[in-house]
Amino acid sequence: MLHIANLYASVAGRTILNGLDLDVPTGEVHAIMGPNGSGKTTLSNVLSGRDGYDVSGTVTFDGVDLVPLAPEARAAAGVFVAFQHPVEIPGVGNMYFLRTAVNSIRSHRGLPELAAVEFLGLAKEHMARLAMDPAFLSRSVNAGFSGGEKKRNEILQMSMLEPRLAILDETDSGLDIDALRIVAQGIERLRSPHRSMLIITHHTPLLDDVQPDRVHVLHGGRIVRSGGPELAHELEADGYGTLPIGVSG
Amino acid sequence: MTSNMVEDLVEREYAFGFHSDVDTELAPKGLSEDVVRLISAKKDEPDWLLEWRLGALRHFLTLVEPKWPNLQYPPIDYQDMHYWAAPKPKPQLASLDEVDPEIRATFDKLGISLDEQKRLSGVAVDAILDSVSVATTFKKTLAEAGVIFCSFSDAVREHPDLVRKYLGSVVGYRDNFFAALNSAVFSDGSFCFIPAGVRCPMELSTYFRINAAQTGQFERTLIIAEEGASVSYLEGCTAPMRDENQLHAAVVELIALDDASIKYSTVQNWYPGDADGKGGIYNFVTKRGRCAGARSKISWTQVETGSAITWKYPSVILQGDDSVGEFYSVAVTTNYQQADTGTKMIHIGRNTRSTILSKGISAGHAQNTYRGLVKILRSATGARNHTRCDSLLIGADCGAHTFPYVEVKNDTAQVEHEASTSKISEDQLFYCRQRGLTEEDASTMIVNGFCREVFDELPMEYAVEAQALMRVSLEGAVG
């Protein structure tokens, strides 16, 4: 399980995460909701080990202390982030990228590398479920992809990499209704007793299709409320305006 | 070189003059008519070639070294080097176990096969000689197709009329300082002739070597594709060429007649000097092709990762109507390497087209300069050029520079220029690392992506090697 206690993170002296506590047991899907500027993306960055933050507090995953680990070591430990804005890498083929990623994660797990043919078969299977054209594989990573294509590509990577902790950072933003459903189904398929998922969002529609076990409200850099799935709908009705005034930031 | 210096040289020649001794193993240091006569005599050359060399020497002595390149290096004393060394076989090794483990490790990283490693290291296969002709494999198949592919010296002996007709027809000895030097003292090189209507049945590849210390290396390459002929020619290899500071001034001339096409690919990985910038090869090369015939095509693709100094502008003279010139380049500089490289596209014929795609990568304290000229003459109605120069910087202490020159004398011409400078972005690195790649793997992948369009122009097996080469070249440059 993911265990976060008393987590602080600041950038250039500005505190963004302010004593955050959160536990996500194995097999559960939790949603983190919160207004803009509440620290949602910072949480995702800090969990995945992005440079540039002063971090203190505890973050363990299955007992392993994540804080000192490099991003690739966290990925090897099973942490995956579906990014809000997946970056473009011109000239690097999507298939080559995906296969390199899959094989580097596999080698960390002591599994043999997937041969090209095997990999291709698996990738096509996953892509069909996400209604992705196989031509995606021959394009450069995210280069010239539409918003929806990029998000689907993230879900494809997530499916192929089989993470043990999946963090979805605003994966639903900018998606039309059809793309949202496909992405939601992709997430739902990955729900597993062996996997924890953290869905970061400030909208509720995704949570209609992906039923979270718990919903947390992030505000001022800490969790100010937690509840069952009904909390999402409550927030939808009342907005974040009724939240207690937390620490600014 | 001032005129006083020239006089000094002349004085010195008399003071230290010597007679050609055909048995000598090493010419005395310095450049003189005697040395040129010695080289020519060693090679048993016809008089016309000796006269041509002497003409080049006399012209060279009137020139001063160009100072316009964006390069810094200590003065070269052209009188303090040997211009002829007898070919010496590399020391023969019994097995690869005798090869320097560091070099072997690099071979492995580059994915060079064991057989090739043996060949490169001089293990019990045909020795590769210094300054002498390269292996001429598959000679028989080529002969059946009517293709001539041999050392330059052999060509002078066996095909003197062809050599005489085309030598200096694209790069005359008056062209520039280094071309004049090469023309006077060139040691050997390659000659390739594809007769009319013949598609060369295989890719022609040659490996150049520089071995004997203190011997300037002066290669001469001449490739002729007659009407409707085509050839793909590969020069160099990805394996590292180690050596002390050494001058290299090659000349390559390509001639394409009507409907002919020549594709010339180079992978150059000579010793770039150590991490402090000491040592390394100085590479001053003149490469030019003439699209002499209508609808002819000449395409240069280069991957330059080695040398301390690179001065090189593979160019195309687009003389025939509807002829096509292309230049695809990746130039990598790290540590204290300097590269001033680019191309010239000279449009003379009607509806001539040229494409320039240059990718410069700079890391460490290196300086990387693109210098290009697109010249559209009055006669070149309907000419078109597209140029793109992309620079990638790794770290804060390196530099990228772009000097595009454009001269258009015909109103109907279309000339486009695009340029970009970028850094490997934190976002890209983080994205890759989040997917499990190490920082080094991630940066290699991003750099290879940046070079992709150029690598796509390389023959397949070269493209694979070139990608491995990027990794080795940039090892330790990121992070």
Side-chain angles (χ1 to χ4, degrees):
Chain A
M1 66 176 278
L2 175 68
H3 170 66
I4 303 174
N6 210 22
L7 182 63
Y8 286 82
S10 59
V11 172
R14 199 170 77 92
T15 301
I16 301 175
L17 297 183
N18 201 354
L20 186 142
D21 299 310
L22 179 68
D23 285 308
V24 185
T26 305
E28 292 195 4
V29 175
H30 288 204
I32 303 262
M33 302 186 70
N36 285 333
S38 59
K40 297 193 301 292
T41 289
T42 297
L43 176 60
S44 154
N45 284 343
V46 167
L47 292 179
S48 53
R50 180 144 198 169
D51 281 346
Y53 296 94
D54 289 324
V55 176
S56 69
T58 304
V59 181
T60 63
F61 180 61
D62 286 351
V64 177
D65 182 6
L66 291 185
V67 176
L69 296 185
E72 55 269 36
R74 298 185 197 209
V79 177
F80 178 93
V81 178
F83 290 97
Q84 183 179 2
H85 301 294
V87 70
E88 302 190 359
I89 312 178
V92 175
N94 215 19
M95 176 158 83
Y96 177 69
F97 178 78
L98 191 52
R99 197 174 148 223
T100 306
V102 165
N103 281 333
S104 59
I105 298 293
R106 283 179 70 91
S107 79
H108 283 299
R109 292 179 186 164
L111 297 169
E113 294 203 343
L114 282 185
V117 177
E118 226 176 324
F119 169 83
L120 193 61
L122 200 60
K124 286 192 169 156
E125 217 174 280
H126 283 282
M127 291 174 81
R129 290 198 203 115
L130 292 165
M132 291 171 80
D133 189 326
F136 267 85
L137 287 176
S138 51
R139 291 166 64 178
S140 293
V141 179
N142 294 323
F145 285 25
S146 71
E149 287 172 337
K150 284 181 181 173
K151 296 298 173 70
R152 266 187 273 181
N153 205 29
E154 295 291 286
I155 303 300
L156 171 66
Q157 292 179 20
M158 182 166 80
S159 321
M160 296 285 293
L161 291 171
E162 302 181 335
R164 296 179 45 241
L165 170 64
I167 302 162
L168 295 108
D169 186 7
E170 309 249 0
T171 298
D172 49 345
S173 67
L175 292 186
D176 63 33
I177 197 81
D178 292 332
L180 186 67
R181 185 161 305 124
I182 289 166
V183 164
Q185 287 165 355
I187 296 169
E188 197 55 49
R189 260 196 306 274
L190 285 168
R191 192 191 280 264
S192 142
H194 310 293
R195 180 172 291 136
S196 306
M197 295 174 90
L198 200 54
I199 297 175
I200 296 172
T201 180
H202 65 267
H203 303 292
T204 47
L206 181 65
L207 302 181
D208 293 335
D209 291 312
V210 181
Q211 188 75 214
D213 297 296
R214 299 282 290 166
V215 174
H216 308 277
V217 178
L218 180 64
H219 190 66
R222 59 200 302 176
I223 303 295
V224 294
R225 263 186 91 179
S226 296
E230 70 287 350
L231 180 54
H233 298 285
E234 197 181 310
L235 287 170
E236 187 172 34
D238 303 343
Y240 295 106
T242 58
L243 291 169
I245 304 300
V247 183
S248 68
Chain B
M1 209 178 290
T2 65
S3 59
N4 271 345
M5 287 169 70
V6 175
E7 280 170 28
D8 286 350
L9 283 178
V10 174
E11 289 296 323
R12 251 197 290 179
E13 274 166 31
Y14 281 108
F16 302 102
F18 63 97
H19 297 288
S20 301
D21 177 356
V22 196
D23 295 327
T24 186
E25 291 295 299
L26 191 67
K29 279 184 178 177
L31 199 52
S32 65
E33 293 212 356
D34 283 335
V35 165
V36 171
R37 284 178 196 282
L38 172 72
I39 294 169
S40 195
K42 282 279 189 190
K43 303 172 80 65
D44 202 15
E45 287 176 351
D47 288 345
W48 65 264
L49 190 48
L50 172 61
E51 285 309 316
W52 192 75
R53 286 178 179 274
L54 290 172
L57 175 72
R58 286 172 201 133
H59 182 66
F60 175 75
L61 292 174
T62 68
L63 300 176
V64 291
E65 195 172 329
K67 291 289 172 226
W68 50 261
N70 188 22
L71 302 170
Q72 308 283 330
Y73 55 94
I76 299 168
D77 185 348
Y78 292 92
Q79 295 301 336
D80 190 35
M81 60 179 92
H82 299 282
Y83 288 89
W84 165 260
K88 286 189 209 81
K90 274 190 174 180
Q92 283 280 313
L93 306 178
S95 82
L96 276 176
D97 296 339
E98 296 174 34
V99 176
D100 179 351
E102 195 187 317
I103 291 178
R104 278 211 70 183
T106 309
F107 282 159
D108 289 339
K109 283 182 206 154
L110 288 167
I112 293 171
S113 73
L114 283 180
D115 281 349
E116 180 66 4
Q117 290 191 21
K118 285 181 186 166
R119 203 180 71 75
L120 292 169
S121 313
V123 177
V125 285
D126 292 341
I128 309 300
L129 304 187
D130 174 51
S131 299
V132 169
S133 63
V134 289
T136 50
T137 41
F138 308 117
K139 211 163 182 172
K140 197 164 158 245
T141 318
L142 294 176
E144 281 164 10
V147 172
I148 302 168
F149 178 41
C150 62
S151 74
F152 201 91
S153 311
D154 286 350
V156 169
R157 266 191 305 277
E158 292 160 28
H159 311 283
D161 295 344
L162 283 175
V163 175
R164 193 169 185 179
K165 180 172 176 190
Y166 290 109
L167 176 67
S169 70
V170 186
V171 181
Y173 64 64
R174 293 177 185 279
D175 192 84
N176 69 69
F177 183 83
F178 297 105
L181 179 62
N182 173 288
S183 301
V185 299
F186 69 88
S187 41
D188 208 333
S190 299
F191 177 82
C192 178
F193 177 82
I194 322 293
V198 172
R199 285 179 69 91
C200 188
M202 59 188 59
E203 269 159 358
L204 300 182
S205 109
T206 134
Y207 294 85
F208 292 96
R209 297 285 176 273
I210 321 176
N211 282 317
Q214 296 265 303
T215 305
Q217 185 82 10
F218 305 97
E219 302 275 357
R220 190 97 200 176
T221 300
L222 180 55
I223 299 174
I224 302 134
E226 283 197 329
E227 290 82 355
S230 69
V231 62
S232 168
Y233 187 91
L234 316 178
E235 170 205 21
C237 70
T238 53
M241 301 290 123
R242 289 190 78 90
D243 218 320
E244 289 313 303
N245 241 349
Q246 210 173 37
L247 175 67
H248 186 89
V251 171
V252 176
E253 297 179 274
L254 313 180
I255 296 115
L257 303 185
D258 286 355
D259 300 295
S261 85
I262 301 175
K263 183 177 175 61
Y264 193 106
S265 310
T266 306
V267 174
Q268 186 269 112
N269 186 21
W270 283 328
Y271 183 52
D274 65 17
D276 297 322
K278 293 226 173 60
I281 285 172
Y282 292 1
N283 194 23
F284 297 94
V285 186
T286 306
K287 290 183 161 172
R288 194 173 306 146
R290 182 190 295 278
C291 282
R295 298 166 304 278
S296 57
K297 177 178 174 182
I298 288 178
S299 179
W300 299 100
T301 306
Q302 62 172 19
V303 177
E304 300 279 327
T305 64
S307 299
I309 302 273
T310 300
W311 179 97
K312 186 178 171 189
Y313 315 91
S315 303
V316 183
I317 300 167
L318 296 143
Q319 186 178 14
D321 291 347
D322 302 295
S323 59
V324 175
E326 294 172 340
F327 174 75
Y328 302 100
S329 171
V330 167
V332 182
T333 49
T334 62
N335 295 323
Y336 286 88
Q337 278 179 281
Q338 304 172 66
D340 191 312
T341 185
T343 185
K344 289 192 275 188
M345 293 290 173
I346 314 293
H347 291 255
I348 301 172
R350 297 166 68 90
N351 301 318
T352 46
R353 283 164 297 156
S354 63
T355 302
I356 298 171
L357 179 57
S358 163
K359 302 274 184 177
I361 299 158
S362 222
H365 294 83
Q367 297 296 324
N368 203 321
T369 299
Y370 168 82
R371 186 185 303 276
L373 169 66
V374 176
K375 189 169 185 172
I376 314 274
L377 272 64
R378 202 178 305 280
S379 53
T381 300
R384 282 185 317 214
N385 163 267
H386 183 84
T387 298
R388 203 168 98 226
C389 297
D390 296 329
S391 302
L392 188 67
L393 301 175
I394 301 172
D397 299 321
C398 54
H401 316 271
T402 304
F403 299 107
Y405 304 90
V406 178
E407 289 176 38
V408 178
K409 299 237 169 66
N410 186 308
D411 292 343
T412 64
Q414 292 177 39
V415 177
E416 297 168 335
H417 181 89
E418 297 174 60
S420 76
T421 300
S422 55
K423 292 192 157 204
I424 292 188
S425 83
E426 286 293 319
D427 285 347
Q428 288 174 329
L429 278 177
F430 181 66
Y431 188 79
C432 295
R433 293 176 76 189
Q434 210 301 304
R435 299 301 186 247
L437 279 69
T438 63
E439 190 166 15
E440 187 158 357
D441 285 346
S443 51
T444 304
M445 184 183 265
I446 294 164
V447 168
N448 274 319
F450 175 77
C451 301
R452 169 58 45 87
E453 295 153 280
V454 174
F455 291 168
D456 283 350
E457 296 296 326
L458 288 170
M460 182 68 111
E461 64 281 11
Y462 255 36
V464 174
E465 285 184 26
Q467 295 198 29
L469 182 58
M470 286 297 124
R471 163 181 295 271
V472 174
S473 301
L474 293 171
E475 211 163 56
V478 180

